[in-house]
Amino acid sequence: MEDLLRLRAKHRSRSSWLAREVLHVLLIGGALGFLVLFLVLPLAAVFVEALRKGLGTYFEALAHPEAVSAIKLTLLVAGISVPLNTIFGLAAAWAMTRFEFRGKTWLGALIDLPFSVSPVVSGLIYVLLFGAQGWFGPWLAAHDIKLIFAVPGLVLATVFVTLPFVARELIPLMQAQGSEEEEAARVLGATGWQMFFRVTLPNIKWALLYGVLLCNARAMGEFGAVSVVSGHIRGLTNTLPLQVEILYNDFASAAAFAVASLLALLALVTLALRTFLEWRYGAELAARAPRGH
């Protein structure tokens, strides 16, 4: 009888282990299948369509004056908005984690606001404020200042939609690290800038780079907000995403996919750099962890 019970228990154990293994395989297979279907295949399709008519047509599309203008404008907008949000993110993270003040909760909510507001709505807000018929439109026109349908409007819209990325990467890390090292540096006579560059910045450098990377990817790929404030002026206010839309609507599919392939390459590069930063940051945290824990 005992042998029979032992055999039954062993059989149940094997059946349970087999069921878990089957479940693991199904979950992993389902996740991989989902990624292949909704991520890998669309990205591959972009490059296949971009190169369908050969490398000559591909590079000709990228060398077109309107495409070159869109590339330059995209780099310009990202080159302005990303540093601005990097400075803001550092200042906001420092304020949120090192000081107690009235309205701190509201500041955190405002930082997250662009995540909850549609990019199209954010673009409309700037049109309402600075458009020709907007609140400040007549004053801007009187002083010959043009924001909407010009580069400054694109920068403003991009800054708005990318504002949270750097701050939201830094705030949790700086909260977890605390301020003991900075206080020690202050006691030893370090100035504010010395404390920042020698203590704070080395401790947050990988999270900062990670936030800047995500901010840049969003800035270069933003469509909704910049579409509203750009005016779609060919060769002047079209960024890469807007140029893709215009080319596709003009039935120039090969050129549209050629330009889109640049954005796809940006996504792949961002993914690779993100993976590297996660690995590097994880390795640094492991190296700094106390031994024996």
Side-chain angles (χ1 to χ4, degrees), residues 79-218:
I80 297 174
S81 60
V82 173
L84 288 176
N85 277 332
T86 300
I87 295 172
F88 169 79
L90 285 167
W94 185 277
M96 292 284 291
T97 59
R98 299 297 183 260
F99 300 98
E100 292 295 332
F101 54 91
R102 186 176 300 176
K104 183 176 179 179
T105 303
W106 285 104
L107 176 59
L110 288 175
I111 292 173
D112 290 334
L113 181 63
F115 282 145
S116 58
V117 175
S118 168
V120 174
V121 173
S122 66
L124 287 173
I125 291 172
Y126 284 110
V127 172
L128 175 64
L129 291 176
F130 305 118
Q133 306 301 322
W135 293 0
F136 305 108
W139 183 88
L140 292 172
H143 292 79
D144 198 24
I145 301 174
K146 189 173 183 179
L147 296 182
I148 303 303
F149 306 152
V151 174
L154 300 178
V155 173
L156 287 174
T158 304
V159 166
F160 181 88
V161 298
T162 58
L163 182 143
F165 286 96
V166 175
R168 276 305 163 198
E169 290 300 324
L170 294 179
I171 290 174
L173 175 64
M174 294 178 69
Q175 286 176 335
Q177 288 179 342
S179 58
E180 290 80 6
E181 294 183 17
E182 293 159 356
E183 292 172 358
R186 187 183 296 112
V187 170
L188 292 174
T191 64
W193 288 112
Q194 288 175 331
M195 183 175 60
F196 174 75
F197 284 108
R198 297 185 181 181
V199 179
T200 305
L201 190 59
N203 288 337
I204 64 172
K205 60 183 178 181
W206 297 113
L208 177 61
L209 287 173
Y210 187 73
V212 169
L213 176 67
L214 295 180
C215 182
N216 181 71
R218 177 62 187 273

Side-chain angles (χ1 to χ4, degrees), residues 206-287:
W206 297 113
L208 177 61
L209 287 173
Y210 187 73
V212 169
L213 176 67
L214 295 180
C215 182
N216 181 71
R218 177 62 187 273
M220 296 183 72
E222 174 57 31
F223 177 84
V226 297
S227 177
V228 176
V229 301
S230 72
H232 294 273
I233 304 174
R234 291 175 179 263
L236 293 178
T237 62
N238 283 332
T239 58
L240 281 174
L242 303 183
Q243 183 67 14
V244 172
E245 181 196 32
I246 287 177
L247 290 171
Y248 193 79
N249 288 338
D250 288 344
F251 302 101
S253 58
F257 279 106
V259 176
S261 69
L262 296 180
L263 295 173
L265 282 174
L266 171 66
L268 294 175
V269 171
T270 300
L271 179 62
L273 291 175
R274 174 180 176 177
T275 303
F276 169 76
L277 290 176
E278 286 179 342
W279 167 79
R280 186 65 183 83
Y281 181 51
E284 183 171 301
L285 286 182

